[in-house]
Amino acid sequence: GKASSEGVVLSSRVRLARNLESYPFPRKCSPETKGEICSKIKNTLEHFACERFNYINMENISPVEKASLTEDHLISREFCDGDGKGKLLITDEQNTLSVMVNEEDHLRIQSIMPGLDITGAYEKAVFIDDIIAKGEKIAFDEKLGYLTSCPTNLGTGMRASVMLHLPAITSCGQIKSLVSLMTKIGLTVRGLYGEGSEAEGCLYQVSNQITLGVSEKDAIEKLTSAVSQIVERERQLRETLLSGGGLDFEDSICRSYGILRYAKKLSSKEFLKLWSDVKFGVESGVIRDIYDINLTRMLVEVMPAHILSKYPEASHSSRRDEKRAEIIKNYLM
């Protein structure tokens, strides 16, 4: 359940790909048509939804703001491409929901929940999906399910993923076998920022791959049970490391904590490694004085674009490395 996966599972995300019946896929749409789709979606939400949303026209925001939204996992890298014409981002007040209008599909509805809560994220995404369907006809085929511009999303159009912190599995050299096991059962394992990204900071995304001929419920159950098994494995290996690693193990974690706390400059790569050690140290009781600090939030706050949007003068990476160390110090002191 949720409590037992705490500390290992950072967040759960569900994304639904949807298209409006009466328009070609975004790649074949003119900018005018895309603009029309944006206003239709906005009007539908304003008419049928009870809550307030933020509407961000992608044409009006700077590259730094775009990068910052990507670091927050609210938008995809693809959504940043081009001049942003005809692209609209809709978010809720809590930032647990985002809708990308005119990414690869007309609609990418996604919800992110803290911890292991795929069902919660799914329900929130479906809630918005249902509201939009009240105002617009969604492209759906009796045999194929939801129609999407990329065949890999056909069917449910649902991609569910979970972000995991796996320092023990990583340091015991078991990631490769984990990846091949997940692939066998139709799940994908990726790094922090999805496809093609490195798994820095021992952070991995596990997601469902199959969308055709399965129900959403089955896909969610399969992912949840796979994640529970990974969590169980990670827990066992953490125990082993703790009991067998002795002073050397504690020393290496405390050294990482020392550097994280007192360094004058840190690159994001180095930060991620130290962050991983410290998070592990806090959860295993080796580091006792910062247990109530939100390390997950810190992880995002010190990403390059977040630093840049707060401190525009830090346009050079060495200046950013100094700022990063400062922000961390404020968190930990």
Side-chain angles (χ1 to χ4, degrees):
K2 202 162 179 174
S4 60
S5 61
E6 218 172 294
V8 180
V9 179
L10 272 64
S11 60
S12 306
R13 177 173 67 167
V14 168
R15 197 194 67 207
L16 303 174
R18 299 288 186 260
N19 287 282
L20 305 187
E21 199 180 67
S22 41
Y23 295 97
F25 292 132
R27 286 205 184 110
K28 296 261 194 280
C29 279
S30 67
E32 295 70 42
T33 311
K34 285 184 179 173
E36 202 177 301
I37 293 167
C38 288
S39 29
K40 283 198 139 177
I41 299 300
K42 187 178 175 190
N43 293 342
T44 297
L45 282 177
E46 285 180 336
H47 185 108
F48 291 104
C50 304
E51 55 183 311
R52 294 202 26 227
F53 296 103
N54 306 312
Y55 298 93
I56 303 161
N57 184 339
M58 293 301 284
E59 215 179 342
N60 304 338
I61 70 171
S62 70
V64 171
E65 285 173 292
K66 284 180 184 171
S68 197
L69 288 164
T70 310
E71 290 173 355
D72 277 325
H73 292 281
L74 284 173
I75 62 174
S76 61
R77 287 175 175 172
E78 298 78 62
F79 202 55
C80 298
D81 294 346
D83 56 6
K85 252 194 179 56
K87 288 181 181 175
L88 179 69
L89 171 66
I90 304 165
T91 61
D92 66 352
E93 303 285 332
Q94 302 81 39
N95 274 357
T96 54
L97 177 93
S98 72
V99 182
M100 291 179 275
V101 184
N102 293 322
E103 191 225 28
E104 186 180 80
D105 294 293
H106 296 148
L107 290 164
R108 286 283 169 97
I109 303 166
Q110 68 162 27
S111 169
I112 302 180
M113 291 300 195
L116 181 57
D117 189 9
I118 308 170
T119 307
Y122 173 69
E123 282 165 1
K124 183 143 196 172
V126 165
F127 178 69
I128 297 298
D129 185 29
D130 290 345
I131 288 174
I132 292 170
K134 283 181 181 167
E136 297 298 327
K137 268 195 92 53
I138 303 292
F140 184 84
D141 175 273
E142 283 307 314
K143 270 208 193 77
L144 295 172
Y146 290 101
L147 302 181
T148 53
S149 68
C150 178
T152 59
N153 291 313
L154 261 177
T156 59
M158 181 189 79
R159 195 49 58 87
S161 69
V162 171
M163 181 79 75
L164 299 150
H165 180 228
L166 305 175
I169 291 179
T170 307
S171 71
C172 295
Q174 295 191 8
I175 284 295
K176 266 208 170 74
S177 63
L178 176 74
V179 171
S180 66
L181 177 68
M182 291 297 124
T183 312
K184 275 197 190 88
I185 61 169
L187 300 175
T188 315
V189 183
R190 298 194 172 116
L192 182 55
Y193 287 102
E195 231 159 337
S197 72
E198 248 184 285
E200 290 180 287
C202 304
L203 291 163
Y204 301 88
Q205 282 184 53
V206 180
S207 58
N208 70 309
Q209 204 41 17
I210 300 154
T211 53
L212 199 55
V214 291
S215 72
E216 286 91 335
K217 190 169 167 290
D218 289 348
I220 288 172
E221 271 173 16
K222 181 186 202 170
L223 182 58
T224 307
S225 87
V227 167
S228 306
Q229 283 168 25
I230 299 172
V231 169
E232 190 48 44
R233 186 87 195 105
E234 172 69 21
R235 287 244 173 271
Q236 287 166 354
L237 289 174
R238 285 186 187 191
E239 288 297 312
T240 311
L241 282 176
L242 272 169
S243 55
L247 196 62
D248 287 345
F249 172 72
E250 291 195 17
D251 178 65
S252 72
I253 282 195
C254 292
R255 279 171 188 260
S256 291
Y257 179 40
I259 297 172
L260 194 61
R261 196 165 171 163
Y262 295 108
K264 291 285 187 196
K265 46 189 285 215
L266 284 170
S267 69
S268 25
K269 209 178 175 72
E270 189 184 7
F271 160 75
L272 278 162
K273 189 204 166 304
L274 298 169
W275 176 90
S276 178
D277 284 353
V278 169
K279 184 163 164 57
F280 186 8
V282 169
E283 274 149 25
S284 56
V286 174
I287 300 171
R288 293 224 160 92
D289 50 353
I290 58 163
Y291 59 91
D292 57 346
I293 281 173
N294 188 340
L295 288 169
T296 308
R297 188 67 220 145
M298 181 210 272
L299 180 68
V300 176
E301 294 286 319
V302 302
M303 291 287 162
H306 275 74
I307 295 177
L308 248 180
S309 50
K310 231 185 196 155
Y311 307 101
E313 72 274 15
S315 57
H316 196 277
S317 68
S318 68
R319 192 83 185 83
R320 267 200 305 281
D321 293 352
E322 287 170 39
K323 283 289 176 203
R324 182 172 293 112
E326 254 172 60
I327 295 167
I328 293 163
K329 194 173 266 89
N330 292 336
Y331 253 97
L332 298 180
M333 289 309 186

